[in-house]
Amino acid sequence: MDRIIVIFAVLLLSLGCGSENSTSSGECDATSCDADSDSDGDSDTDTDSDSDSDSDSDSDSDTDSVSDSDTDSDSDTDTDSDSDSDTDSDSDGDGDSDSDADSDTDSDSDSDTDSDSDGDTDSDTDTDIDTNSDTDTMWDTDSLTDTTSNADTDTQPRYESFDVTNPLILERADPWMYRHTDGFYYFIATEPDYARIYLRRAETVQGLADAMEQQIWTRHSSGEMGAHIWAPEIHFIDNAWYIYFAAGSTDNIWAIRIYVLENTAANPLTGTWTEKGRIPTAWESFSLDATTFEHNGTRYLLWAQNDPDLVAQNTNIYISAMSNPWTLSGPQVMLSKSDYEWEKIGYAVNEGPAVLKRSGRIFVSYSASATDANYAVGLLWASEDADFLNPASWHKSAEPVLKSGNNVFGPGHSMFTTSPDGTLDLLVYHGRDYEFIDGDPLNNPDRHTRVQQIFWDSDGMPIIGPPVANGTITISTDNLNQ
């Protein structure tokens, strides 16, 4: 009998321990396994007690929310449960809950914002959080988008700021600064001996000041292209480099005409420059300062030339379409001559055209009067949809847009380029540091290259002058707001 009572007591004790162990096991799953338990109501992730599975929480909206307490426990299966929250269930309150055995549990919310029952709202931006019971939560940083730069959009220019010291390059007149897609600025200009063409490049505007220049062509010892090598410009057209320049002859140094060089190398400081010859025009007369631009599939040449029938005019601005970079096609039309008194001081000259495309217009700057302190810059413009070969399409400024000032004299032969990212417009031109010249201005070497920022008014017209004084200036996006 005593034996039976002992056996019965052991059985009772055994049954009580089994019930206690079952409860203890459940607490272990929630607190001491690898899964995390959230009980403060402010957690952003759910907890899975299954150490062999992952729980992914994705939201079609940009916010995730949990209730005051989210605790998920399973042995082999992920089961997500909430009392009053929307974690792992639709936020519309339809009560749907997703559970998978040993698999990922995904949830989509049908609303834009899920709120904690304590009133807090937790927001995530289009990201997936993967919580693994055996690992820490990780962000895939390679998939994140950098939104700090807007250089590839038109909504807001990337911030730019850099310094330029004027004069930038000494004894370089008729400057031309071409910003290419390879990240370099290419610089070319008239040198004081009128004998050679030099080319240099740098990654910044200021860098051109100290860049090594390379002689890429020299005048002929006799005949054509033997004198007065003036105003070279470099352009990249149809995967080749072209230099337009003016030159006289050893037989007649004033028989100045327009010529073209070509180089098919990727880097114009290498390769071979081939002479494509002279560009014939409608008159066999003094012609110079050729530049080219393309618009709507048509390439154009602009240049200055003397019309023998216009005795009172020295040079005028002309335009023509081109069939290739060294051949004119179709009519040759005069766009501008010296109409105003400021264009006729010393000589009745319109020369040195350069093109800028902005604000739905084609702008052409040009220079006028003698090349002393009276030299100044005017402006032509036409709608980008206009017929450029119709003189009536063009408007002309009644006053110069750039003239002597701030101790810079005879500013002229201007052209346009941009900041490195293309958002800020720059004016490049030459000028002297003093007003009075001994002898013929053409024999004076002190025309120096200068650079300054261009601004725009509310009508989309450029604000070009006055010339900035000598010294260092800051070209910056900030300047646009001043």
Side-chain angles (χ1 to χ4, degrees):
M1 185 66 178
D2 292 338
R3 188 183 191 89
I4 293 174
I5 292 173
V6 171
I7 294 173
F8 184 74
V10 169
L11 287 173
L12 288 176
L13 181 60
S14 175
L15 288 173
C17 289
S19 176
E20 183 179 354
N21 289 341
S22 175
T23 303
S24 177
S25 175
E27 291 173 355
C28 174
D29 285 345
T31 61
S32 61
C33 292
D34 290 335
D36 296 331
S37 174
D38 301 328
S39 61
D40 59 359
D42 295 326
S43 171
D44 294 329
T45 59
D46 292 334
T47 307
D48 291 336
S49 62
D50 184 3
S51 61
D52 296 327
S53 65
D54 298 333
S55 175
D56 297 336
S57 175
D58 293 338
S59 172
D60 289 343
S61 69
D62 292 340
T63 59
D64 300 328
S65 66
V66 294
S67 68
D68 288 339
S69 177
D70 293 337
T71 303
D72 301 332
S73 64
D74 4 347
S75 55
D76 297 319
T77 306
D78 294 341
T79 304
D80 302 329
S81 64
D82 295 321
S83 56
D84 11 84
S85 74
D86 295 330
T87 306
D88 291 325
S89 64
D90 290 342
S91 62
D92 56 6
D94 60 8
D96 292 339
S97 179
D98 301 328
S99 64
D100 296 320
D102 294 320
S103 63
D104 295 338
T105 302
D106 301 329
S107 68
D108 296 330
S109 68
D110 297 328
S111 67
D112 293 335
T113 305
D114 296 336
S115 299
D116 295 342
S117 60
D118 60 11
D120 294 335
T121 301
D122 301 317
S123 298
D124 298 323
T125 305
D126 297 334
T127 57
D128 295 337
I129 304 176
D130 296 335
T131 305
N132 189 285
S133 59
D134 294 322
T135 61
D136 294 332
T137 300
M138 299 294 293
W139 290 91
D140 179 9
T141 56
D142 292 338
S143 67
L144 300 180
T145 301
D146 180 7
T147 59
T148 60
S149 174
N150 297 327
D152 295 329
T153 68
D154 294 329
T155 57
Q156 182 179 357
R158 183 175 62 194
Y159 180 80
E160 283 226 280
S161 181
F162 57 94
D163 290 343
V164 172
T165 299
N166 284 303
L168 180 68
I169 303 174
L170 300 180
E171 297 188 352
R172 289 295 180 265
D174 310 325
W176 186 263
M177 189 183 297
Y178 176 78
R179 185 179 68 86
H180 191 43
T181 54
D182 62 1
F184 286 95
Y185 288 91
Y186 290 85
F187 179 82
I188 198 169
T190 301
E191 54 89 19
D193 293 333
Y194 304 152
R196 289 164 292 274
I197 296 177
Y198 294 99
L199 181 64
R200 66 177 78 182
R201 73 175 187 175
E203 293 180 326
T204 65
V205 173
Q206 185 60 43
L208 290 170
D210 300 317
M212 183 72 67
E213 64 181 6
Q214 179 175 318
Q215 180 179 317
I216 60 171
W217 187 86
T218 189
R219 66 187 177 190
H220 291 188
S221 58
S222 62
E224 283 190 311
M225 294 182 279
H228 281 161
I229 311 303
W230 287 348
E233 291 188 7
I234 187 168
H235 297 261
F236 189 72
I237 305 169
D238 298 333
N239 295 317
W241 294 95
Y242 293 90
I243 291 177
Y244 297 85
F245 67 101
S249 168
T250 56
D251 301 327
N252 181 359
I253 62 173
W254 298 107
I256 294 179
R257 305 293 185 268
I258 300 166
Y259 298 90
V260 184
L261 305 175
E262 181 188 57
N263 189 338
T264 58
N267 179 355
L269 291 170
T270 65
T272 302
W273 286 96
T274 303
E275 295 175 359
K276 303 300 290 185
R278 180 164 63 92
I279 297 181
T281 61
W283 307 278
E284 188 63 36
S285 63
F286 185 94
S287 52
L288 71 168
D289 295 350
T291 193
T292 184
F293 73 101
E294 183 276 335
H295 189 68
N296 289 339
T298 299
R299 179 157 296 280
Y300 298 90
L301 190 77
L302 285 161
W303 73 99
Q305 187 163 6
N306 171 255
D307 182 347
D309 294 331
L310 297 177
V311 179
Q313 301 291 324
N314 294 102
T315 56
N316 317 301
I317 303 294
Y318 295 88
I319 188 172
S320 177
M322 306 185 79
S323 57
N324 60 45
W326 58 90
T327 306
L328 302 180
S329 62
Q332 300 171 33
V333 178
M334 183 175 71
L335 294 188
S336 178
K337 59 182 179 64
S338 298
D339 299 309
Y340 301 105
E341 290 305 314
W342 67 268
E343 300 176 284
K344 304 175 183 179
I345 304 174
Y347 294 97
V349 167
N350 279 191
E351 64 182 16
V355 175
L356 173 64
K357 296 182 181 182
R358 286 291 185 276
S359 307
R361 300 181 179 98
I362 305 296
F363 296 97
V364 176
S365 66
Y366 68 94
S367 299
S369 292
T371 58
D372 54 18
N374 295 299
Y375 207 49
V377 175
L379 192 67
L380 307 171
W381 67 94
S383 168
E384 64 180 1
D385 299 322
D387 177 5
F388 301 147
L389 300 181
N390 180 359
S393 299
W394 294 88
H395 308 273
K396 183 176 184 177
S397 59
E399 299 292 335
V401 295
L402 185 72
K403 63 181 182 179
S404 295
N406 291 325
N407 291 317
V408 178
F409 300 94
H413 206 104
S414 59
M415 61 85 58
F416 307 98
T417 189
T418 70
S419 58
D421 77 345
T423 60
L424 302 179
D425 295 303
L426 309 179
L427 183 76
V428 184
Y429 61 99
H430 71 234
R432 291 186 178 90
D433 294 340
Y434 50 86
E435 181 175 4
F436 299 105
I437 303 167
D438 291 332
D440 189 337
L442 283 177
N443 296 328
N444 179 277
D446 293 331
R447 293 180 292 174
H448 308 317
T449 296
R450 310 177 62 85
V451 177
Q452 65 190 60
Q453 188 171 353
I454 297 174
F455 303 95
W456 297 89
D457 68 17
S458 59
D459 295 325
M461 294 295 291
I463 302 172
I464 292 176
V468 297
N470 284 358
T472 300
I473 61 171
T474 297
I475 294 170
S476 174
T477 307
D478 291 338
N479 297 341
L480 300 176
N481 301 320
Q482 297 179 3

